[in-house]
Amino acid sequence: MTKGFPAQEFKTRVAKAQAYMAQQGLDAILLTTEPDVRYFTGYLTRFWESPCRPWFLVIPSTGNPIAVIPSIGAVLMARTWITDIRTWRAPDLDDDGVSLLADTLRNIGPRIVTPSGLQSYLRMPLTDFTRLNAALPQPIGADGGIVQALRLVKSDAEIKKIRTACQIANRAFARVPEIAQAGVPLERVYRDFQRLCLDEGADWVPYLAGAAAPGGYGDVISPADDRPLAAGDVLMLDTGLVHDGYFCDFDRNFAVGDVSAEVDAAHGALIEATHAAFFAARPGASAADLFHVMDKIVTGGAGGSDAGRYGHGLGMNLTEWPSLIPTDATALTSGMVLTLEPSIEIAPGMALVHEENIVIRDTGAEWLSQPYGHVMTRLCT
């Protein structure tokens, strides 16, 4: 199983960014977050879990990127295709890379931007960002969606990694009957399911959510508790496991023994909605179009639920742009990877959620996760 990308993959991404920059008359893009830095460099490490050090990557309007990073990361960065690596000893309570970064940017030009739209954030102290701006000829501006536009459309090499992540999760979900049955506490199911994901080839499992309750469930983000599964429960597991830096994100509902006819019908409606969106997902349609296709089935067109959306983008992050909501007019393009995630209310405060992963192709959508059947897998009582 090949890990990483050839250098040309990153050079192509940089060239596309520089073409956008030329159109806008920009000198450089400043990047501070893990996925954005990794997108242009291949710099993959779990060390970002430590918040005590900032990391910077500068994409100039011409030439190769410049890494401005703590010295502890220099050896690993040197294993990527990046050759201009400037370091400081961090953490530094007086100057944590600000002067080094300011010198780098001043030598490139005054028109510096950084991602600043929805689903972006700045990963450095606000006081340091203020100091950085004061040291530059003009304040850092917004990138106008350049990085978002690039990451929105995946290369075939990226899609292959997401597909592999989905295949790993497919195999783990198929083994859930080995670990889940009546009498097993939900928190144990969570631990064992993560083990299954690792056994099947996941690098790590940074996201696992779910629920278990009779007749549906009230929410899908609470931590697992020690309540044992019981006959009549619906168990839902939603995993975002990682393969070589790329996520899958889909769920499966399981019935513990027999469930009510209402639950079975609701689950069937979710499958129908997902398939309807799959067939509607093609270039020229919009994110909002997919929302309405699913909403017509699950609510009769009432406008959705409090969950807020029926899916989203997927890739280096668990959730990416766009959002499948009524107001998102983002046009679907070949190479976009999406989740389809409709939810349906069974009774007040009780719902079911179903999720699949797809990629948009020139002729329509293609499944990345193996689509689930209309009948939930039954677990032993």
Side-chain angles (χ1 to χ4, degrees):
M1 188 180 296
T2 302
K3 293 292 188 79
F5 295 109
Q8 188 57 49
E9 175 82 9
F10 302 109
K11 292 178 180 179
T12 298
R13 297 173 186 180
V14 170
K16 289 179 179 179
Q18 290 172 334
Y20 279 121
M21 294 163 65
Q23 292 172 8
Q24 299 183 30
L26 304 175
D27 292 312
I29 301 175
L30 170 64
L31 303 172
T32 64
T33 66
E34 187 276 337
D36 287 346
V37 170
R38 176 159 52 93
Y39 182 76
F40 290 102
T41 66
Y43 187 69
L44 177 60
T45 173
R46 298 297 300 276
F47 198 68
W48 289 83
E49 296 291 345
S50 171
C52 71
R53 296 175 177 87
W55 305 74
F56 309 113
L57 186 75
V58 178
I59 310 294
S61 58
T62 60
N64 292 335
I66 303 165
V68 183
I69 61 173
S71 55
I72 196 172
V75 171
L76 180 58
M77 185 63 79
R79 294 175 187 161
T80 73
W81 74 289
I82 303 302
T83 58
D84 191 342
I85 304 168
R86 307 175 187 186
T87 66
W88 80 96
R89 185 175 178 177
D92 186 321
L93 300 184
D94 297 318
D95 185 354
D96 217 11
V98 174
S99 295
L100 182 60
L101 179 60
D103 288 343
T104 300
L105 294 175
R106 278 196 301 265
N107 288 329
I108 294 174
R111 296 159 298 182
I112 313 297
V113 295
T114 194
S116 58
L118 290 173
Q119 301 188 36
S120 69
Y121 67 96
L122 187 72
R123 192 186 180 276
M124 65 183 297
L126 180 60
T127 52
D128 282 357
F129 187 64
T130 301
R131 288 178 54 210
L132 176 63
N133 275 311
L136 298 176
Q138 63 187 55
I140 295 171
D143 80 336
I146 291 175
V147 175
Q148 181 188 91
L150 291 173
R151 289 184 52 195
L152 183 67
V153 178
K154 274 63 178 178
S155 68
D156 286 342
E158 290 182 286
I159 293 166
K160 184 177 180 180
K161 293 186 185 300
I162 300 170
R163 185 190 303 280
T164 300
C166 289
Q167 291 170 342
I168 292 167
N170 285 333
R171 296 194 296 268
F173 278 126
R175 295 179 61 188
V176 166
E178 298 176 17
I179 63 168
Q181 60 186 359
V184 178
L186 183 60
E187 60 183 7
R188 187 170 128 198
V189 173
Y190 270 44
R191 287 195 299 271
D192 286 345
F193 184 72
Q194 292 176 80
R195 174 179 56 79
L196 292 180
C197 292
L198 295 172
D199 284 348
E200 293 298 339
D203 293 335
W204 62 87
V205 188
Y207 183 79
L208 176 61
Y217 30 80
D219 82 288
V220 295
I221 64 170
S222 294
D225 56 30
D226 60 0
R227 173 186 173 273
L229 301 181
D233 279 354
V234 178
L235 166 67
M236 191 276 282
L237 295 172
D238 180 2
T239 187
L241 63 78
V242 168
H243 163 69
D244 202 16
Y246 283 79
F247 279 88
C248 71
D249 178 22
F250 61 100
D251 72 14
R252 293 293 179 258
N253 289 285
F254 301 87
V256 184
D258 293 326
V259 294
S260 69
E262 291 80 7
V263 168
D264 272 334
H267 181 262
L270 291 175
I271 302 301
E272 180 184 353
T274 305
H275 281 256
F278 173 83
F279 288 112
R282 59 184 58 251
S286 70
D289 290 336
L290 300 191
F291 173 90
H292 289 299
V293 165
M294 290 185 277
D295 191 55
K296 184 176 181 180
I297 294 171
V298 297
T299 75
S305 68
D306 288 342
R309 62 184 181 181
Y310 287 157
H312 52 79
L314 174 69
M316 297 174 70
N317 288 102
L318 180 71
T319 65
E320 296 185 355
W321 190 267
S323 289
L324 304 189
I325 57 176
T327 54
D328 193 335
T330 300
L332 305 187
T333 305
S334 181
M336 288 174 60
V337 176
L338 302 172
T339 73
L340 304 176
E341 191 176 9
S343 59
I344 190 169
E345 186 177 77
I346 301 174
M350 300 298 286
L352 290 182
V353 179
H354 178 66
E355 188 173 21
E356 300 283 4
N357 298 163
I358 66 171
V359 57
I360 308 298
R361 298 298 196 183
D362 289 336
T363 57
E366 181 181 310
W367 297 108
L368 293 176
S369 55
Q370 181 178 336
Y372 201 33
H374 281 73
V375 178
M376 283 185 283
T377 299
R378 258 50 177 180
L379 305 176
C380 294
T381 56

